Structures are given as C-alpha cells and as structure tokens.
Amino acid sequence: MSIKSAARVVVIGGGVVGASVLYHLTKAGWTDVLLIEREELTSGSTWHAAGGMHTVNGDPNVAKLQQYTINLYKELERISGQSCGMHITGGLMLAGTPERMDWLKMAKARGRYLGMDLEIISPDEAAKLFPPMDKKHFLGAIYDPIEGHVDPSGVTYAYAKSAQIAGAEIVRHTRVTDLIARADGSWDVITTQGNVHAEHVVNAGGLWAREVGRMVGLELPILAMEHQYLITEKIPHMVRAEGRKEQVHVIDFEGELYLREERDAILIGTYERACVPWSATETPWDFGQNLLPNDLERIAPSLEVAFQHFPVLAESGIAKVVNGPFTFAPDGNPLVGPVKGLKNFWVACGVIAGFSQGGGVGLVLSQWMVEGDPGADVWAMDVSRYGDWATLAYTNAKVRENYSRRFRIRFPNEELTAARPLRTTPIYDRLQAEHAVFGDYCGLEHPLWFAPTAAEASEEVTFRRSSAHSHVAAECKAVRDSVGLLEISNYGKFEITGPGAADWLSRVMANHVPNVGRIALAPMLNECGKLIGDFTVCRPSEQRFFLIGTYAAESYYLRWFERTMPSSGVSVRPCAMEYVGLSVAGPNSRALLQSVVRDDLSTAQFPFMSFRRMDVGMIPAFVGRVSFTGDLGYEIWVTTDYQRALFDLLKQAGQVYGLKSFGGRALHCMRVEKGFGTWAREFRPIYGPYEAGLSRFVDLKKGDFVGRDAALKEKESGGALRLVSFAVDASDADCLGDEPIWHDGKVVGWVTSGAYGHTVKRSLALGYVPASLANATSGFEVEIIGERHKAERLSAPAFDADGSRMRS
Ligand SMILES: Cc1cc2nc3c(=O)[nH]c(=O)nc-3n(C[C@H](O)[C@H](O)[C@H](O)COP(=O)(O)OP(=O)(O)OC[C@H]3O[C@@H](n4cnc5c(N)ncnc54)[C@H](O)[C@@H]3O)c2cc1C
C-alpha cells in the first residue's frame, strides 16, 4: 500500500480528537487533508471509553465548547449516516456536604450566563430520578438535562465519514515514524508506507502524543493514567420496564464515583486516590486495542462508599471490568494550538473528556489553522500555558495529583502540594522566616500572605473569607498608611533590543512606545482588535526595552512575537528569572527608597512612569516608578544574584517606617480597589480594549499597528461590553470571579475578579456588562454562592479616584 505524496494537512492519529480535527478542517474549507492512523481508528484510548458527556466545566470558555460538542452529534449523524449512539439521559451531580452544595450553587450560577439550564434539586427529587441512591447520604443535587453518553466508536466513525464525504482522506495501518521540517516551514512526514509532504502537521496522537512531540524535539506535559470502570451483572431494579426512560447519569462527589445505566445493569467508575500512571516515560508502539490488568484492590475504598451510597451495588456481582489508559495534562485541560518555535506544527492532545470536548477542540484548532485565530477564548486549553518548567517528572507529580482529586473541590484559596517547592527565588528562606504562606505559580513559590507566627501560617480552605482575612487586612493597611514590601519576581520579562526594536514594538503594541527613561502601559491586540496581552513597556535606552507581563503567558506571547517580528533588526529575549524584583509601595515608599539611592526621587526629577538604571545601595538595579497597588510605589529589578542583598537593605532601611512584607493576596485586594484589570481575568481575547476600559492606552494617532482597524471600529461603535466596578453588599463571602451579574432581575454579565477592599472597607467586584448598561447605577445584583446581593456600580475607582496617590 502506498500513501499520497502531498497534502495540505496531515493529522496524526485517528482517535476521537484527530477525527474531529479532520472533520472540522473540511468544514472550514480545507479539504486536501489526510489523517494517518497507526492501526484502526479508535486504537488508542478512544475505543474503551465509557462515552459519558456533560456540559459543566470549571472554565466557562471550556464549558461553551462542551456545549458545542454535544450539540454537534446530530449534525454528524445527518451528514455521515453513522449513528453516534446518543443517549441524552440528563445527569445529576450529588452533593453530600455543605461545601459541595455551595459548589453546586456556584456551578448553577455560572451556568446562567452560559445559557445552561441547570436546576438545584432536593435528595428526594434526585432519588426519583435515580432510585438506586440512598438519599440519606446527600444534601441535594444539580440536574442538568443535557448529559448522557455516546458510543465512542460510533462518534469517531461519524467524524471520519463526514470528513471523507467532504474530501478528506484517511489511511490506516500506517505509522508516522518521523517528522522533518523543511526550511519553508512545511513538513516531510515519514511513515511506514512512504513520505508525505505536508504544509501543516497536527499531533492528535493521544496516548502517543508525547512520542510524536519528541519527533520534533518537543516534550509535551502529558501523562497517561490507568482508569477503571466496571459494569455490574444484571440488577433487577435497573431492568427497563416498558416505557421507562433510561436513568440519569450520576456523579457522586463524596464517593468520587460516576455511574450510569448500562443495559439492565450499572456502569460505575472512579478516579481513585491511589492512582497509577501508565507508561510513565515512553508509550509502547505495539499497544493497540488492549486493556490493562484489572486491579480491584485499588478501587476497593471507592467501592465501599458506593455500596453505602447505592446499596443495590452491594448485592450485585461484577460482569466486566475495563482498565484502560488515557492522557492528562497537569491541570487536566487539553493542550491545543500552535507551538512556539515550530512553524505549522499544531497539537490537539491531553483531551481527557473526548466525548464532551473533542468537537470543541476540533472546531477551535481548525479555525486557528484556517483563519489564523481560534475564534474563541481558548486560554484554558492553550498548549502555550506550559513552559520549560513542566518537565516529565513535574508532569508526573501534577497529573497524579490532578487525577486523584478529579472529583474533589478545588477551593479558591487552596494551594496544591505536588511538585513543590520546585522553583524558588534567593529570598525564599527570608520570606519563610517571616511566616510567608506561599502559592505556586508556574512552579515558582511566591508569597501570598504573611502570618504573624509560624503556627498561624496556614489557612482553612473555603469559599468564604478565611483566617487569612485579618492578616491580609493588616498588609493592606501597612501599604496604604506607610510602606510595604512585595516580591514581584513572578512576572514575565522580555528584553527587546536592536535598531528595529522601537518600530516593531510600535507595530505590535496598541500604545505608543515610551521615550527613553519612561514607561508606557500597552495592550497587545490581535488582528480582530481583541486583547491578547497587556504589558508594562520600560525603555532604559534608545534601543533597549524591558517588557513586563504575565509570566504564565510567556510562551503565548513569544508565539505571537515570532509571528509579527521582522527577520532582522530586533531581538527578543525572555528573561523572566534572570531579573527578579522587589517593590516598595505606600506613602513612605519614596522616603524609604531615597534613603538608599543617590538619584533624586522627587516627582520633579523622577515622576510617575519613570524608569531608570540606578544603584540601590551597592546594587545595580533598574527602578520604575509604578505600582500595581495604585499607590505611590517603585518596582526594583535586579539580576538574581543581588536579590538577597536588596531585600536585606530595604528591610533594614524600612525599619524606621514600619516596613511590612505583603503578598499577592493584598496586592489583589488593592488592585481591585483601583479597578486595575489583569491578564486572564479582565483582559482576555474575547474583549476589546475599549470594552476593557483601556482606551487611554490605545494610541490611534501613532500610525498603523496590529488590530488598529478593528480597534477603531470598536471605538466608533462603543463595543458590546463594558468592564465596570461594583461595591457589593456581601457578608462573609466576596466574589471570586465567574459570578453572574443581574440587572433588574435578568442575568446580564459576569464577574471577572472580586475582593474585599480593606482600605475602603467594602466588598468589591469587577465584571463585564452590556455597554448599554454601563452607565446604569442602580438595579444591579451579584450572585455569590447562590444568593443575590445588591451591587452598586461605581463610577470611579473605590480607592483614590483621581489617582493622586500614585502621581504625587
Ligand atoms: C477507561 C476509560 C474510560 C473513559 N471514559 C470516558 C468518558 O466516559 N467520557 C469521555 O469523554 N472520555 C472518556 N475517556 C477518555 C477518552 O477516551 C479520551 O478523551 C479520548 O479517547 C482521547 O482521544 P484522542 O483522539 O486524543 O486519543 P487516542 O484515542 O489515544 O487516539 C490517538 C490515535 O493516534 C494514533 N497514533 C498515535 N501516534 C501515531 C503515529 N505516530 N502514527 C499514526 N497514528 C498514531 C493511535 O493509534 C490512536 O488511534 C475514557 C478513557 C478511558 C481509558
């Protein structure tokens, strides 16, 4: 058998994800597309999946793509004539604790602005929908009418046939053994049946995606885990009487179980805590439609709970056990998109819920390839969210943690412990000595808040205000009243140099380039005029710039920079951990810093938004006069070797001002008090700069820049949405993000950030509402843990409305 010699796209892998990508490429208009499968279609993790599907997801943007996937199956059946084996039974999520009830209320609330029809019901009502449950173990449930299951093989073939009808080709029993890049960015795909020259390659290799990545020098952060489900023998209760509907799907969070009716019996699966990775370093190529040996011992603790919660299970035997592997990324979300440094190489892997997410993954990837933009907010599953720090062993530790917690609540203030501490800055032990409670950010330890004593340096996990509340309040007070010290190393940093640096930055950023010695805040837009970054652009000299932005987005930014950079005259160097930083903020920050520098820090000599090379004591540093607290403040950047000395110097000099260390939590409260947005919350690719309140940072007069035409249109039309601030009548719980905003009894928007404003002594929220409501002052409510609270729209920042504190 020989293979065609050229195709516009080669998709590697004929599981549900590869088949979906193939179909969506044809739907987007690319029909010269070829899928290459090692064995038969479905021969990875797809064939033995339980086929369950649901719409609820922690990330609203992923939830939208799950809705899309489930709604797609009818279209596929119509086009292909192939049944997807769809059973829309509806589903229950059962709560056995008050915290889980709170979680359900929050999930229902989020569903409101996603157009989901979720209902909270009592244990009695739940038991009517799923009689095998013993209701005494539960406090309530969510009912979702759009849940069910499909036939995994039917779905994969329906995608494949629909793609073939549109002109796609599929070759089976052919393995891709190597990938060789050509100078023009196209690929030679080397297979067991000959070579194919392809403009684009998609890695949808599922269980082997890691091995396919290695063919191009890429170590993808994915790991396969063994997963078991079992099917009971026939249960009299489950025998379907004439006319009875199929029973609903069930997730029992406390039992960490999922269940559904399966032909007069029950299918039950669990994400066991004692989980086991499969093929931790290399996936064997000869693994086909095989299953792994059963290990019922491992799931015994979950089964014991299952026997109590669903007593019929204790009386029934086991007819079949399925133990199969499937792959996870460290956070459990898919890895999708183009890869920095590899032209025309795309990934669609790490998909743990192929039957809820496969359609959405295929849709966004095909749009990205054909249109140059995914057409949706895919940050939560963008492959670029991981950097070099996500090594094989890191991935192993995090995936095991994520798998074993799959049905557990992740509280907003909860810090997970696997793979920690991994990255630390030189002052880590100094901060530990001050009883810092650390958070993990891209594997880096950074201080969240400081406890007065070692004994108090821990916090209960909760959706409400925690024991850290009063300590964070003290940190905010220290900053607002005198001066605080914050470690700011956890930012992304880039050094941009060269004769073409200023011109390129002017083209890629929406704001003008700052003069030498100055700072400009600059949004970055895509061609559609949507926000794909926000930076502090600092210019120490004519041809040298520092860009400071979100560290988690470093690869995301670099991918965009590669796309827009000229072939010569500009060099971009990521230098996140070469420069670490400390910030002093508060009314006494100038006096403190002045006591250790020779430069004149008066506003006349070093005004707001200045940036300069200075000696701080003996330490060579860059100092910027800017602070995300919205107060008078300075950011001091030094190479890593100087950070300890800088810390000690500032601590010593700060004693006279009562200098207090503060952490990320206090910073968050203070930036919300100022209404300052941040990446991945207020600034995302679904918002335009005018909608996000960044109009003063868009310079339409400076000449052309990426996204200018679309930004101009947005300015003229006013955009559809508007970012606004609220003061919320909250009691013991503040907004966290993703809560619905109501106006006159209707859900009109969503919260992006929330915090208690310790200075202004009010609960605050930032969120998007329709532009038509941007000036309404009354009638707003925000739903926090199932309860609607009155919210006053603020027409100015809650703290220091005229910005005089940071400027004076
Ligand atoms: C026991 C179990 C139960 C599950 N239950 C559910 C569920 O209820 N609901 C749900 O949504 N998901 C479930 N899943 C997960 C689901 O199976 C996956 O999300 C899905 O299969 C991922 O599909 P994929 O296409 O990414 O990968 P795969 O199915 O692994 O497909 C990859 C394909 O690529 C091919 N390939 C790889 N490398 C090459 C190469 N070099 N050359 C040619 N071909 C190559 C492989 O042969 C394979 O066919 C379950 C998984 C398991 C193991």
Side-chain angles (χ1 to χ4, degrees):
M1 191 175 77
S2 67
I3 194 166
K4 72 194 274 192
S5 60
R8 186 165 198 179
V9 181
V10 164
V11 177
I12 304 169
V16 64
V17 173
S20 168
V21 171
L22 192 75
Y23 167 66
H24 282 93
L25 282 170
T26 63
K27 205 174 165 186
W30 284 11
T31 51
D32 179 16
V33 290
L34 171 69
L35 184 147
I36 302 179
E37 166 55 45
R38 204 177 51 101
E39 288 197 0
E40 292 292 347
L41 296 182
T42 78
S43 297
S45 52
T46 296
W47 72 278
H48 51 232
M53 54 185 188
H54 48 91
T55 51
V56 174
N57 186 285
D59 183 282
N61 296 293
V62 177
K64 279 187 214 161
L65 292 173
Q66 294 189 181
Q67 279 176 299
Y68 167 81
T69 302
I70 295 172
N71 290 329
L72 185 68
Y73 293 133
K74 283 205 182 90
E75 171 183 317
L76 292 177
E77 288 188 337
R78 187 170 38 75
I79 297 173
S80 65
Q82 163 75 49
S83 165
C84 292
M86 245 193 307
H87 295 243
I88 303 289
T89 58
L92 290 179
M93 289 183 171
L94 296 172
T97 63
E99 291 75 24
R100 182 55 78 175
M101 273 313 286
D102 283 349
W103 188 91
L104 293 187
K105 287 176 198 161
M106 293 159 84
K108 175 184 160 65
R110 193 183 304 126
R112 288 188 205 278
Y113 66 77
L114 293 171
M116 288 159 72
D117 189 14
L118 306 175
E119 201 186 331
I120 302 260
I121 60 174
S122 67
D124 282 336
E125 289 168 303
K128 276 192 202 129
L129 291 168
F130 195 69
M133 68 180 255
D134 181 349
K135 59 192 178 192
K136 76 168 183 269
H137 298 288
F138 301 104
L139 300 177
I142 266 192
Y143 173 67
D144 178 0
I146 316 213
E147 269 197 39
H149 57 104
V150 283
D151 165 22
S153 167
V155 166
T156 310
Y157 278 91
Y159 278 124
K161 284 184 186 165
S162 302
Q164 283 171 314
I165 289 167
E169 286 182 45
I170 295 177
V171 290
R172 295 167 299 127
H173 303 290
T174 302
R175 177 151 76 87
V176 172
T177 55
D178 206 357
L179 292 165
I180 298 165
R182 290 196 185 180
D184 65 357
S186 63
W187 293 91
D188 284 315
V189 181
I190 317 299
T191 84
T192 46
Q193 305 295 339
N195 300 352
V196 188
H197 179 224
E199 201 180 311
H200 297 268
V201 168
V202 178
N203 175 2
L207 287 176
W208 295 267
R210 197 177 41 178
E211 281 65 25
V212 173
R214 286 174 187 160
M215 292 175 192
V216 298
L218 184 66
E219 191 63 43
L220 286 165
I222 41 177
L223 174 70
M225 298 296 292
E226 290 193 19
H227 181 69
Q228 296 183 91
Y229 66 81
L230 49 91
I231 299 172
T232 64
E233 285 170 347
K234 186 168 164 177
I235 297 178
H237 266 74
M238 301 302 288
V239 174
R240 194 148 359 140
E242 191 66 24
R244 172 171 79 72
K245 272 178 56 190
E246 189 174 343
Q247 284 180 11
V248 292
H249 266 223
V250 171
I251 292 179
D252 168 8
F253 287 110
E254 270 56 60
E256 307 194 41
L257 301 160
Y258 62 88
L259 299 89
R260 73 164 156 85
E261 179 176 333
E262 172 75 17
R263 293 196 185 124
D264 299 343
I266 291 181
L267 180 154
I268 175 166
T270 179
Y271 287 83
E272 64 276 29
R273 290 186 185 193
C275 56
V276 174
W278 177 73
S279 294
T281 54
E282 244 170 273
T283 312
W285 287 107
D286 59 359
F287 186 81
Q289 294 208 345
N290 315 71
L291 287 176
L292 305 172
N294 305 336
D295 185 356
L296 289 179
E297 278 291 295
R298 216 165 63 219
I299 60 171
S302 304
L303 288 180
E304 272 171 35
V305 181
F307 295 159
Q308 290 165 30
H309 289 190
F310 308 93
V312 288
L313 291 171
E315 295 151 23
S316 52
I318 296 170
K320 183 177 173 189
V321 182
V322 173
N323 184 10
F326 66 118
T327 50
F328 290 71
D331 60 5
N333 275 338
L335 298 175
V336 182
V339 176
K340 156 183 80 87
L342 292 171
K343 205 160 174 225
N344 297 339
F345 185 84
W346 307 80
V347 297
C349 56
V351 181
I352 67 168
F355 303 96
S356 307
Q357 298 176 339
V361 167
L363 173 75
V364 296
L365 191 74
S366 62
Q367 289 187 353
W368 219 333
M369 294 173 71
V370 174
E371 307 290 343
D373 186 90
D377 185 342
V378 294
W379 171 246
M381 51 188 195
D382 193 322
V383 60
S384 71
R385 70 190 184 279
Y386 288 103
D388 293 343
W389 40 273
T391 57
L392 190 77
Y394 171 92
T395 300
N396 188 302
K398 280 309 221 190
V399 167
R400 281 187 287 125
E401 178 181 64
N402 186 281
Y403 182 98
S404 66
R405 296 179 43 96
R406 179 131 175 79
F407 283 152
R408 275 194 267 166
I409 297 174
R410 170 83 192 263
F411 288 92
N413 66 337
E414 184 170 10
E415 284 298 320
L416 303 183
T417 54
R420 295 180 65 187
L422 175 62
R423 310 172 72 187
T424 55
T425 60
I427 57 167
Y428 178 65
D429 59 347
R430 298 279 204 272
L431 300 173
Q432 266 184 323
E434 290 190 31
H435 316 305
V437 174
F438 290 92
D440 164 18
Y441 183 71
C442 304
L444 178 72
E445 299 295 320
H446 73 106
L448 295 174
W449 58 279
F450 292 81
T453 62
E456 290 166 277
S458 70
E459 182 184 16
E460 80 283 16
V461 293
T462 174
F463 293 120
R464 296 179 159 74
R465 290 177 196 154
S466 76
S467 52
H469 191 74
S470 59
H471 306 309
V472 173
E475 292 171 24
C476 294
K477 186 164 168 32
V479 173
R480 297 298 193 212
D481 289 355
S482 182
V483 57
L485 178 73
L486 172 77
E487 163 148 50
I488 50 171
S489 306
N490 59 333
Y491 282 93
K493 290 142 235 152
F494 301 91
E495 192 177 36
I496 319 283
T497 49
D503 283 350
W504 173 67
L505 279 172
S506 181
R507 186 154 168 72
V508 83
M509 300 288 161
N511 204 353
H512 54 257
V513 168
N515 292 330
V516 173
R518 300 290 296 158
I519 294 173
L521 301 182
M524 184 163 78
L525 308 181
N526 61 18
E527 279 98 356
C528 312
K530 298 294 183 194
L531 289 167
I532 54 166
D534 73 308
F535 292 95
T536 306
V537 182
C538 315
R539 190 173 194 177
S541 60
E542 194 59 33
Q543 294 188 9
R544 187 176 184 203
F545 295 84
F546 277 110
L547 250 60
I548 300 162
T550 305
Y551 185 37
E554 183 180 271
S555 297
Y556 176 90
Y557 295 147
L558 280 171
R559 198 175 59 193
W560 187 258
F561 293 166
E562 273 172 6
R563 188 165 147 176
T564 51
M565 265 171 65
S567 52
S568 63
V570 186
S571 145
V572 173
R573 199 174 64 85
C575 53
M577 287 305 129
E578 279 169 47
Y579 286 93
V580 289
L582 292 171
S583 168
V584 285
N588 283 326
S589 57
R590 177 167 27 226
L592 187 164
L593 192 60
Q594 187 66 79
S595 71
V596 289
V597 301
R598 277 174 292 114
D599 301 59
D600 181 351
L601 295 182
S602 66
T603 293
Q605 295 303 316
F606 196 64
F608 182 53
M609 303 298 266
S610 296
F611 187 83
R612 196 185 296 164
R613 166 70 187 78
M614 277 182 207
D615 288 349
V616 182
M618 287 188 277
I619 301 152
F622 285 106
V623 178
R625 193 183 146 184
V626 66
S627 168
F628 204 34
T629 60
D631 225 305
L632 175 66
Y634 301 84
E635 291 183 345
I636 308 161
W637 301 102
V638 294
T639 50
T640 312
D641 45 346
Y642 289 108
Q643 197 198 23
R644 276 175 91 88
L646 178 66
F647 180 83
D648 292 345
L649 179 71
L650 293 172
K651 276 279 167 185
Q652 175 70 31
Q655 276 179 12
V656 54
Y657 304 102
L659 177 69
K660 186 171 172 59
S661 291
F662 69 105
R665 293 266 182 83
L667 181 68
H668 173 73
C669 296
M670 289 187 273
R671 69 109 184 150
V672 172
E673 284 180 331
K674 283 294 296 175
F676 289 164
T678 189
W679 175 249
R681 288 187 180 240
E682 288 72 34
F683 307 149
R684 297 186 72 121
I686 42 177
Y687 308 123
Y690 295 93
E691 293 179 324
L694 296 175
S695 56
R696 64 191 184 285
F697 306 119
V698 179
D699 185 351
L700 291 168
K701 295 201 193 87
K702 70 169 177 170
D704 200 17
F705 58 89
V706 179
R708 185 183 180 280
D709 293 348
L712 181 62
K713 276 197 193 123
E714 190 199 322
K715 186 181 181 199
E716 285 165 358
S717 73
L721 301 171
R722 195 71 79 243
L723 180 66
V724 289
S725 297
F726 293 101
V728 185
D729 268 354
S731 47
D732 65 337
D734 304 300
C735 287
L736 302 164
D738 292 337
E739 293 84 359
I741 300 172
W742 296 72
H743 186 260
D744 287 350
K746 280 199 207 105
V747 174
V748 295
W750 53 91
V751 170
T752 48
S753 295
Y756 186 76
H758 289 282
T759 321
V760 299
K761 308 248 176 301
R762 300 183 85 176
S763 185
L764 301 169
L766 303 177
Y768 280 90
V769 298
S772 56
L773 284 176
N775 294 321
T777 46
S778 60
F780 287 108
E781 290 171 304
V782 172
E783 185 172 337
I784 303 176
I785 319 181
E787 272 178 43
R788 279 151 67 175
H789 297 257
K790 205 158 165 277
E792 178 198 345
R793 190 190 65 76
L794 303 175
S795 49
F799 175 75
D800 190 31
D802 65 359
S804 56
R805 298 261 300 214
M806 53 190 186
R807 287 189 175 81
S808 58

